Amino acid sequence: MKYLCVYCGSQKGTNPRYVELTRNLGESLARRGITLVYGGGAIGLMGTLAESVLSAGGQVIGVIPRFLDEKEIAKADCTELIVVETMAQRKGVMSERADGFLALPGGYGTLDELFESLTEAQLNIHAKPIGLWNAFGFFDPLLSWIDKAESEGFLKTKYGLRPLNKRPLLQVDSDLERLLDALTRNR
């Protein structure tokens, strides 16, 4: 894997451990020679991640809509900064540039991007690995919802968290290095 699209918050959250873990991810991506593809912001976990990749000598591709350029304060020192017109274009460019996807803690935007990647994989639009970093159990309620959607017949078992005889569509782990290994192994 050469390019990993990471979805994460434009806020840092209230727990400083998320910032620390996000820095660790950036360092790991740089060490592994994986280019970060992300939403282009200089604030929140997004900014922390991009800065840590760059500080560790890695490459960063930021993609930001023009109207968010000022609001999220685009990270001008990205290796490559792409300014687009819409959120849909942002997601499209990030998806096109990525070999895989990883979601970190975040809000509505993070989940929107994650679920679009999952839906496209479900519809065979792409076959790229998708990971969910469940640091400190942040995504436990979401994982319960996915299980509920499957048990209630809204999600086929083959797209659930424990499909029979194949890797899950969404790979989940609380251990960063193990998750990155799984994503790169399944490319």
Side-chain angles (χ1 to χ4, degrees):
M1 178 177 300
K2 291 185 57 75
Y3 300 91
L4 181 65
C5 179
V6 178
Y7 306 130
C8 59
S10 61
Q11 302 295 315
K12 290 185 177 180
T14 58
N15 185 339
R17 297 185 300 178
Y18 292 124
V19 172
E20 179 184 336
L21 288 178
T22 301
R23 281 191 188 109
N24 293 344
L25 171 60
E27 293 165 2
S28 184
L29 292 177
R31 185 175 57 254
R32 290 169 179 252
I34 298 172
T35 297
L36 169 66
V37 179
Y38 86 116
I43 60 174
L45 293 183
M46 289 195 315
T48 298
L49 179 59
E51 186 57 40
S52 66
V53 171
L54 292 168
S55 293
Q59 304 290 307
V60 174
I61 299 171
V63 185
I64 192 164
R66 190 172 313 285
F67 75 94
L68 285 181
D69 189 355
E70 290 180 21
K71 187 175 186 178
E72 289 186 357
I73 311 168
K75 185 137 183 60
D77 62 342
C78 289
T79 309
E80 181 180 357
L81 181 64
I82 302 167
V83 179
V84 296
E85 294 305 317
T86 68
M87 294 293 283
Q89 288 173 333
R90 178 197 220 179
K91 290 187 285 187
V93 170
M94 290 191 315
S95 181
E96 288 171 13
R97 298 294 294 265
D99 298 322
F101 307 93
L102 176 61
L104 276 59
Y108 290 141
T110 300
L111 290 181
D112 171 56
E113 293 163 333
L114 171 65
F115 277 102
E116 183 160 330
S117 296
L118 286 166
T119 301
E120 288 180 347
Q122 183 180 359
L123 296 172
N124 293 314
I125 294 171
H126 71 75
K128 300 172 184 180
I130 305 168
L132 185 69
W133 189 12
N134 193 24
F136 309 113
F138 181 84
F139 288 109
D140 286 349
L142 178 64
L143 298 172
S144 293
W145 175 84
I146 292 171
D147 279 337
K148 181 73 168 176
E150 181 183 344
S151 71
E152 295 286 334
F154 292 103
L155 184 63
K156 293 180 180 178
T157 300
K158 68 181 180 177
Y159 301 123
L161 298 174
R162 291 167 288 288
L164 301 174
N165 303 321
K166 63 183 259 188
R167 73 175 171 89
L169 189 64
L170 179 62
Q171 298 175 73
V172 180
D173 206 316
S174 60
D175 181 273
L176 171 65
E177 295 300 327
R178 191 169 53 215
L179 182 56
L180 288 175
D181 287 344
L183 292 175
T184 56
R185 186 172 46 249
N186 288 312
R187 170 70 180 120

